[in-house]
Amino acid sequence: CQPDLLETIPNDRISADIFWQTEADAELAANALYPTLDGLRTVTYDGITDILHTNRAFMGNYTIERGRATADHGRFLGEWDDAYEAIRRANDFMDNIDRVESDNADVINRLKGEVMTIRAYHYIKLAMLYGDVPLITKGIDIEEGRNVTRTPVDEVWNFIASELDKAASLLPVDNGSRISQGVANGLKARAMLFAGRYAEAAVAAKDVMDSGQYDLHSSYFELFQYEGEGNNEVILQREYAKGTDNHNPYTVLAPWSQIGGSNGSQYVPTAKLVDLYKMKNGMAINEEGSGYDTSNPYENRDPRLKYSIFVDGVPLPGGGVYNSTPGGDGSDPVGETIYATTTGFNVRKYVDEEDYTDPGNSGLNINLLRYAEVLLTYAEAKIELNEIDQSVYDAINAVRQRDDVSMPPITSADASSQTEMRAVVRKERTIELAFEGLRLFDIRRWKIAEDVMQGDPRGTYYVENDEVKQVEVAGIDRLFDPAKDYLWPIPERERELTSLSQNPGW
Amino acid sequence: QGSDSQTALLIHKEESKTGQLTSLGNELRRLETSYEVNIFYKSKEVQGKQVMASAGSQEGLEASLSLLLEPLNMQYRKLTPKSYVVFEKEKEIIKQETVEGTVTDQTGETLPGVNVLVKGTTSGTSTDVRGTFELSVPSLQDTLVFSFIGYQTQEVPIAGRTTIDVALQPQAITGEEVVVVGYGRQEKVSVTNAVSSVSSEDVSRRPVADAQQSLQGLSSGVTVRDQGGSPGDKNISIRIRGVTTLSNNDPLVIVDGIEQRFSDVNPDDIESISVLKDASSTAIYGSRAANGVVLITTKRASSSEVNVDYKGYYAIQDAINRPEHIGLEEYFRLENVAYQNAGREVPYSEAYIQEYVQNAPSPEYPLPFPWFRRDDLGILELAPQQNHTLAVSGGGEDIKARMSVRYQDVGGIVPNFSDETKEFRLNTDYTPSEQLKVSADLNYRSGETHEPGDGEFKVFNYMLHATKFSWPKYESGEYGLGPQVNNPLLFAEQTGDFRYQNDYLIGNIKGEYEFLPNLTFSTRYALRYSSTQQKRYWARYSNRDPLTDRFTQRQTNYLQEYRSYLREYTLNSLLEYTNDFGKHGVTALAGYSTVDNRRNRLTASRQDFYNNQVRSLNQGSEENKGATGRDFDYGLRSFFSRFNYNYAGKYLVELNARYDGSSRFSKDNRYSFFPSFSLGWRLSQESFWDQLKPYVNEFKLRGSYGATGNQAVDLYTYYQTLAAVNYTFDGEPVAGYAQSRLANQNLTWETTTQTNIGFDMEMMDSRLGLSVDYYKKVTDDILLGLPIPRLIGLSAPPQNAGTVENEGYEITIDYKGGNEFTYDIGLNFSDNKNEVIDLAGTGPYISGSSPNPTFITKEGMPISSHWGYLADGLFQSQEEADSWPDMAMNSNPKPGDVKYRDLNNDGVVNTEDRTDLGRSFPRFNYGLNMGFNYKNFELFTQWQGAAGHEIMISGGLNHQATYEAFTHAIYADYWTPENTDARFPRPIKGDTKNRQVSNRTVYSADYLKLKNVTLTYNIPTRFTEKVSLDRASIYIGATDVLTFSELTEWDLDPEIPSGRANFYPQVRTYTVGVNLRF
């Protein structure tokens, strides 16, 4: 008769009672925040915008893209849930970190800075998606949870700003792959841009630019490939590792022909985006004398087009070239199956040849904040402040002129007024940051969603009987109600368990 | 022998010369000393007997004993080298007369082993292998008593004859039947609880691969759902009296006193199965008993006669249901209409259709989904199955044993599926003394199951989905690839191998000591060990369709090894007291039990092996290797007791109690108490019943009430713990820790309180039996993962909240009749109404979403009911469509679309308008078993069914060509302006708006199946004896012979779960078997 028969102590987890004692504990707890950073989800945000189409009618995202989701839609709850789970982890850290006995204040401060930054990262997302959200900064129990209320979004932005300032002061300039000062400042720049607080955005962006820590990588293509990992441009990324901490960008994004079974092509670019890429000479495709050839539409374009998107003629991971002409015998004919692209385009960012052989096991990192965005944020903030000086042109042109892009610079001859420059920076941002999870927030804050999110998306151009035709993606019929759709609803499920108010129109 | 005994012998010789008389007792004691042996005797047999002293002084002990005892008409027997027993010779029957004869059964078949006794004496014999006996009797006026298990005992006056042939009648439902109950046995007449028992004969009437199948349709109140499954992986669930909780609803299964899995028993080893249904019978199992208890007893050697039994069958399996695809031409037209309705270009021209139809099927013109076809294009084949059990039993007075060995091999109806089981069992019984009994059992099983590397899902899902227009396989060996680049045959044949091996060992020792008359102590210790090795090898493959040039491959091969170990130590100790005080009968039992369960598991993986033949971990690449492991321990400590009292066998009372402690709960909530009682009244024993007795010879009223528990909660949920979350910095893995779930310190057991009222009656000399039970059980404190606001950021701990009620009744009728042509009929019927009473203000819980199966658990409804829209047929005009309330799923309704109803009349049809579409779990279960015997033939048929529940078909079978999946022939009747009276709506490519979960897509799953037909021929003894066989029979049979169900028109089995029907299909088996006894 063993006295301890009923005292089974688990040995595959640790008791909360013995934790929070050493510096090592603090580091372990801080590490647990990093997996909460978004990965491929960034791409799926773009999949509910005008530049990327959710290619599967039975995926939840499709309903949102069409503007027909209701408050009980799974994604509305899922995003909310994941963000608050991360925030809880951060709150638990902040609640307990002072229990740790350490002589090394630097380490503790550094870790606090990391955790505060990641918490702010999630609040930025929540504020952009839902507007007013409960601002929870400590671990709460069930009863407290039932009684929380929504904090006005301005206060949430205030919190984010002050947290990121505090974090920046605690963080070192160089912190390896971990959250550094640049992340806190860069996220603040993003947040303030979203919040429309342009002066603060410009200052924060300038702080990053002045830190000397970051530089544009010479190859745009490599930024989204294994080859480019460890470059100087990426400020924050969600890291993955094959085997142990893998994910599947290839399975999700690769052209249908490049992966067996009913996989790939879950999100496909639209003609809306493709047409935005200028000619190599800097002219828009519809400009007179641009040299745009309707029967050869993807040649002589901004090189970022083929780095970002599989269009006809782009080499495929398994060999051969991409071709999506409907009814043709190319690699990915539109309409061949419901799993093939419906627009005739495929995402190329994050589709790495190396994953072709083991598609479900990718270790490719996902960029969450890169220097190019900071430059464009700086430029946009300055333009919105109407402080258009040379530094604005420099920032935009730096992005346009990295080695493997080398587009002609924008000069004051091309654009000089605030309106002109606003158009320039927005276009640049759309192209440079395509599929990186910012488009949804951009069309919201620019208030252009009701214009761009209407009707059916369109696809690739092809020649049939000597006639240039364009693929049409029928039956999507997107709707966007400006009175309601600029914010997601507070998830219905959450409202059943709390007394949270609902956003207008939902 | 040492020199001391030599000396003793010399001294003795000296003394013996005196030749005096001495008492026998003295002489025996002297011999004990001289020879250093023990001599036992009954004192009253020795007292007062005188012997010549010299008689005991022969050379050697045994010679002395003979000389001493012979004149006294006594004898001795050597027990051990050092002990003898001395006793009076039995008074021999004076051999006056000899009687001989043959004993047969009602069919004239001779019966070996029948006991033949002279009435009033202990002298007798038993029949030999030819059923004949020869017996000396004191007088030809005596009476002989013939008895044999399973037959009515017959007394036959000799009446002066010397040859007596007797035909024994099989026993009707008998009052003396003994029923296995928790921690013991009871006479059936004294059982006051709701217990169904199933005998080995019933179990073995239907050849099955898994013992669980044998219980289907045999017992009221028991729902066995056989959802098919690949060889070795049967999806069978057993529910006793419905679904009581939201988590684990499996009954507790006890095999020979130890918790095991039902499938861990060889059906041929089963002696009896008892299903304990009410609280009074189950409460003695306390915290594990809320879902009912199944007690299985395995066969043991019953007599000292050595029996060798062989049971074997060979069967052919064939897939029963093969969904029929719509005809090719109709298919193209349907596709065209579907595209047209979606506003898209029509894909197939008339000329193309004609060309295709004329040339199909051929590699250039493949059929859309040929996989289920019976011709060469189909991939479901006939598969063999065989099972053999050889059992030997027998022994002596002190030691008896039964050993069995079994081999089973089940082939797959698709390549690379198979299952093989080998096992043996040894059950031994020792009786060292009258007080002490010891038994030791051992069962070892080794099983090996195979399936393709990509598993069952890949093969069967792709038979219905995503393989349109794929030629199955070219003669050159390549597989055809349609537009979606899949092929189920390729997945079966080329994706590698999954091997599941299980070694299962259970050893079980029991000692029983009667240290006072009527008071017995027994203790049982069991060690259960299970080791599972899984090796899943995802092979590298590549395949190019030579005609379409489509290509698919897996470049990286991958191996995952999985090990899981279970060790469980169970100790049960019982103290039992039984006595009768005049008319008061008392039985009391007290027990103590511990279960110590330890499991751990381990996985390891590597990839990039040299080729597909190299399948050993260390041959894989150093990169991307992985290893994980988990440990699980739990303990259970219990004290329990039972008290039975009866007065004159008429009034019966039983009290049960169990006090259980489980490691799953925190210290404060660890122990719980589960009491119960039951009462019975045998009215048929009362004098006022005498007049009724000729009609109803047995009638008993029963009632019970009590509580049982359910400890089905994950381990360690009351701990506040941090779990590892890992991350990678610069390719270097780092550890992290975070809390992910709120802990609930207050967690405790679920409690089920059950009331049961019933009666048992036997009529027509017990040829007709009837049992009826009514019950109501309420499960409280159901462990619910009550949702908490997600903004708390941790997942919800289970909380004790909900209440579920089950109410129902059960009827069992048995009849045995006939004379030369005899038959037995068993009918059982049960009704179970399930209702969620309380979810602590939460819910409803909706799982799934349209067009996939959607279930709701909501107060006032049965658990997991179907949930969806009500639809009113199809729009016939645009005006009708325009005037209909706005439908969320269809913003632009057209004629031919489904009319979903606005149930809450708010002008919009949305998820708020969904309603109850019926149960997912059957309300009614019924079984009818009929056996017919004529001469040497026996015909057995088993009918089984369930009703009152629905099934939702989703995926390809629901799509109606909206996507690219299988299109069932039934969809030929779709709406067009020319066919407005259609059963199905207009098809729309890429749109499920007309395929919502509704009363149109949920079908009645009521069914009645002829589960089994077996025709047996018992080979007459005159043939069997020539080959030294005692008995031999040969049978042919078939399973799942007939099915009556609404799902038959979909070519689906009604027992499948809701969903995509992408499971390994149910098979029908055609069986040939023999049963032999040597």
Side-chain angles (χ1 to χ4, degrees), chain B residues 884-1049:
Chain B
W884 196 257
D886 287 348
M887 299 192 291
M889 71 291 284
N890 188 353
S891 51
N892 185 14
K894 294 259 167 54
D897 282 345
V898 176
K899 298 191 259 186
Y900 294 106
R901 286 175 56 185
D902 175 21
L903 290 185
N904 61 4
N905 289 314
D906 63 351
V908 201
V909 182
N910 56 21
T911 51
E912 302 294 312
D913 294 298
R914 291 180 295 177
T915 187
D916 181 6
L917 298 178
R919 292 157 197 273
S920 59
F921 187 83
R923 175 172 165 184
F924 302 104
N925 282 282
Y926 33 85
L928 173 64
N929 305 297
M930 294 184 285
F932 306 94
N933 288 287
Y934 181 73
K935 301 226 158 135
N936 290 321
F937 290 95
E938 288 173 31
L939 177 68
F940 174 68
T941 60
Q942 184 187 32
W943 296 82
Q944 184 267 337
H949 63 306
E950 326 290 316
I951 187 171
M952 157 78 196
I953 307 298
S954 68
L957 290 174
N958 177 34
H959 284 168
Q960 194 192 352
T962 46
Y963 291 100
E964 293 171 8
F966 188 92
T967 304
H968 197 281
I970 206 168
Y971 284 120
D973 185 18
Y974 57 91
W975 194 94
T976 60
E978 295 75 41
N979 183 26
T980 55
D981 193 25
R983 175 171 174 187
F984 295 101
R986 65 182 185 121
I988 311 167
K989 206 72 194 170
D991 199 325
T992 53
K993 61 185 167 202
N994 286 325
R995 313 303 320 160
Q996 303 296 313
V997 177
S998 73
N999 53 330
R1000 298 180 62 92
T1001 60
V1002 167
Y1003 306 96
S1004 165
D1006 297 356
Y1007 72 91
L1008 174 65
K1009 278 186 179 181
L1010 177 53
K1011 271 277 172 190
N1012 185 31
V1013 179
T1014 306
L1015 178 66
T1016 308
Y1017 177 66
N1018 295 305
I1019 298 170
T1021 324
R1022 60 182 184 277
F1023 298 123
T1024 57
E1025 66 186 18
K1026 288 179 184 155
V1027 286
S1028 348
L1029 281 171
D1030 283 5
R1031 270 184 249 168
S1033 58
I1034 174 165
Y1035 62 89
I1036 53 170
T1039 64
D1040 284 297
V1041 184
L1042 289 170
T1043 300
F1044 301 96
S1045 155
E1046 194 174 293
L1047 289 158
T1048 308
E1049 65 170 350

Side-chain angles (χ1 to χ4, degrees), chain B residues 806-937:
Chain B
N806 281 277
E807 187 181 6
Y809 60 88
E810 296 156 1
I811 300 171
T812 307
I813 302 172
D814 294 291
Y815 183 75
K816 288 186 184 183
N819 208 333
E820 196 177 359
F821 169 72
T822 63
Y823 52 92
D824 60 285
I825 296 171
L827 174 70
N828 62 75
F829 180 86
S830 23
D831 174 12
N832 171 276
K833 271 184 289 184
N834 174 281
E835 188 183 337
V836 179
I837 302 295
D838 183 19
L839 290 173
T842 70
Y845 297 96
I846 298 174
S847 62
S849 64
S850 196
N852 295 316
T854 308
F855 302 100
I856 189 166
T857 293
K858 185 183 174 187
E859 289 169 8
M861 288 173 63
I863 287 180
S864 278
S865 293
H866 290 284
W867 189 243
Y869 298 100
L870 279 188
D872 261 359
L874 309 174
F875 293 116
Q876 295 298 352
S877 70
Q878 192 59 50
E879 297 75 56
E880 194 187 2
D882 291 343
S883 61
W884 196 257
D886 287 348
M887 299 192 291
M889 71 291 284
N890 188 353
S891 51
N892 185 14
K894 294 259 167 54
D897 282 345
V898 176
K899 298 191 259 186
Y900 294 106
R901 286 175 56 185
D902 175 21
L903 290 185
N904 61 4
N905 289 314
D906 63 351
V908 201
V909 182
N910 56 21
T911 51
E912 302 294 312
D913 294 298
R914 291 180 295 177
T915 187
D916 181 6
L917 298 178
R919 292 157 197 273
S920 59
F921 187 83
R923 175 172 165 184
F924 302 104
N925 282 282
Y926 33 85
L928 173 64
N929 305 297
M930 294 184 285
F932 306 94
N933 288 287
Y934 181 73
K935 301 226 158 135
N936 290 321
F937 290 95

